[in-house]
């Protein structure tokens, strides 16, 4: 507590200095040192080609509940393309109504993250896609049963052949993941007000959002939340300065430590990407905070040792609203008809 | 058994007579006495206006899992627009992983049914829409909580005002249902091969399908399955001639009897509409039969007292495949952002 109290004068000084930053050109120049705009088109993928056939197949797979053992859940169940790419639950509900351990991260712009999952345990979206399909609390399936399911439907056999031409055995778990990766890479949200501001439109942010952007940089949020996704680029201890309470940071979830088994990774998580954050409540890997201002205030104390003023938290939250981009237009895919040998749903 | 054995010579006679029916014009003329084509545009609704704003609102509501208490299930969960308008489960999985009592009927072309649900207990789609939202084994919500949820989101308040202009209190449970009805009425599947045949294209059905259509009419299937939806127009006892086994016709589900409390409605159900039936396995209200030929054979015995030959069942199933129409193109709607007072998901 001493630390946060001691920092109050410093905050006051920054607050007084803010009007100087209201010079839009200067604010933009500073921001451009830390952030990048979301491009209009998806980036190239490492070792994966985004052909139309592959993206279309990926869309089918993304929406197909038959990837889950119960046939109840699809990728879209927890990464809902109509809801900012999340399920808006504290933590996701999966197979048998089990509650998962962490809040579902958004699929939108996830192609720009350094790695996937809150602990970065998947290097890319293809690797990520294999996880929930097999997780017992999520889709609870096996690669063998997924491939058996896909091979049993002529529509999928045809779509995999078109998406992976020349391959002897196109219908595979690996190719399922690669196809999903290409579709997910299309789920980007360009043209947020913040991007338009970065590109030169002074009017894209209102005055409060500009104050919020300045505060976001001045108070040190950019130490972890920078780059194209305003986060998602590196790993940091949650509770860098002061560990939050056990509901926000449950003791049992030690984050990246489980991946690396390195003491310094205890309670370390990938800094949350903040693109579309206004759409993706609740917040943190624990998903217990529903209010964006409150999340900002918790971050101030736990990561910066700074008790933000209500005005600062409101300004920063207003800036964060400017990170909401154009939502992807996704036509609902028509899924292949089952075949006589398609495994039956197994909800039990 | 005696009954079905006795009818075999009659079937053989029909089978021999079939080549005569291969005259396309005659087959078409007979079929047009019993069936209608699916129109290219949705029909007018009784007391509900299909404005663009209302249909768009209906689409949002149809896809919004926040209509359910848990925030896990939307209308689309059990009436998946990518899967023939069904969930392809024996019976649906709902709140708390409870298994519902009956197989989910397709939403596609449901606007043409005489009434909704397997027992016809809802007069129209608006009335139907109110059911699953409240059913404890489905979405387990209350009208009050739904309205509170919708009113808490500015995006919905605006969308309801646009969809129901001039109304003093547009955000209501009733208007939710009316908006969903307009969207669902757009989910029609015209231009099935069968429709094209009815409209004059001899080549739209292959020879087996034409034999199947003839058999469908000759053996008496049309007694219950006729009209625009090839069913869905009236109520009949399941087991009209011979009651099927308890797995297909569970004793505990007495069908329309529960609605009318009339002895003659015991085990009476609305004849299933057969449009897109090849996409909507499993079959019957119990959802225990996955194979279309098998379903046809069961119907032969239970409803017609006729043990269809495997060839006849295959021909009829081939004809039923010709009822698969153009699937609706549905853009995934962007759902409104939650507000500060939006009720939290309650999965427990």
């Amino acid at each position: 507590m001493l630390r946060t109290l001691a920092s109050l004068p410093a905050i006051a000084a920054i607050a007084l200095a803010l009007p100087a930053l209201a010079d839009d050109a200067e604010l933009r120049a500073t921001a451009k040192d830390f952030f990048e705009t979301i491009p209009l088109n998806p980036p190239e993928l490492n070792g994966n080609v985004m052909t139309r056939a592959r993206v279309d197949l990926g869309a089918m797979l993304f929406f197909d509940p038959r990837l889950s053992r119960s046939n109840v859940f699809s990728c879209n169940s927890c990464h809902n393309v109509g809801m900012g790419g999340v399920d808006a639950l504290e933590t996701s509900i999966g197979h048998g109504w089990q509650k998962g351990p962490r809040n579902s991260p958004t699929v939108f712009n996830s192609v720009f993250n350094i790695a996937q999952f809150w602990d970065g345990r998947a290097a890319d979206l293809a690797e990520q896609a294999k996880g929930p399909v097999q997780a017992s609390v999520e889709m609870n399936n096996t690669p063998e049963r997924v491939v058996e399911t896909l091979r049993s439907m002529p529509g999928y056999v045809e779509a995999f052949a078109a998406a992976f031409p020349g391959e002897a055995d196109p219908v595979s778990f690996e190719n399922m993941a690669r196809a999903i990766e290409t579709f997910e890479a299309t789920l980007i949200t360009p043209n947020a007000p913040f991007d338009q501001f970065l590109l030169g439109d002074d009017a894209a942010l209102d005055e409060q959002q500009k104050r919020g952007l300045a505060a976001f940089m001045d108070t040190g949020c950019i130490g972890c939340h920078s780059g194209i996704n305003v986060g998602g680029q590196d790993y940091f201890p949650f509770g860098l300065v002061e560990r939050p309470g056990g509901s926000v940071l449950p003791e049992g979830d030690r984050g990246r430590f489980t991946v690396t088994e390195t003491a310094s990774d205890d309670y370390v998580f990938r800094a949350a990407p903040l693109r579309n954050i206004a759409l993706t409540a609740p917040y943190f890997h624990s998903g217990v905070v529903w209010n964006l201002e409150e999340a900002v205030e918790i971050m101030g104390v736990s990561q910066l040792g700074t008790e933000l003023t209500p005005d600062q938290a409101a300004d920063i939250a207003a800036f964060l609203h400017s990170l909401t981009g154009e939502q992807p237009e996704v036509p609902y895919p028509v899924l292949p008809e089952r075949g006589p040998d398609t495994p039956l749903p197994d909800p039990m």
Side-chain angles (χ1 to χ4, degrees), chain A residues 212-231:
Chain A
L213 168 57
F216 191 85
M217 297 191 291
D218 288 344
T219 58
C221 306
I222 42 166
C224 304
H225 297 280
S226 63
I228 188 168
N229 266 356
V230 194

Side-chain angles (χ1 to χ4, degrees), chain A residues 179-233:
Chain A
I180 290 174
E181 177 178 50
T182 63
F183 171 66
E184 291 184 338
T186 68
L187 301 177
I188 60 177
T189 65
N191 288 323
F194 178 56
D195 291 313
Q196 295 173 34
F197 177 78
L198 286 181
L199 293 170
D201 180 1
D202 289 345
L205 301 187
D206 64 25
E207 288 310 309
Q208 187 183 24
Q209 289 172 324
K210 288 174 189 170
R211 286 199 308 273
L213 168 57
F216 191 85
M217 297 191 291
D218 288 344
T219 58
C221 306
I222 42 166
C224 304
H225 297 280
S226 63
I228 188 168
N229 266 356
V230 194
Q233 303 305 310

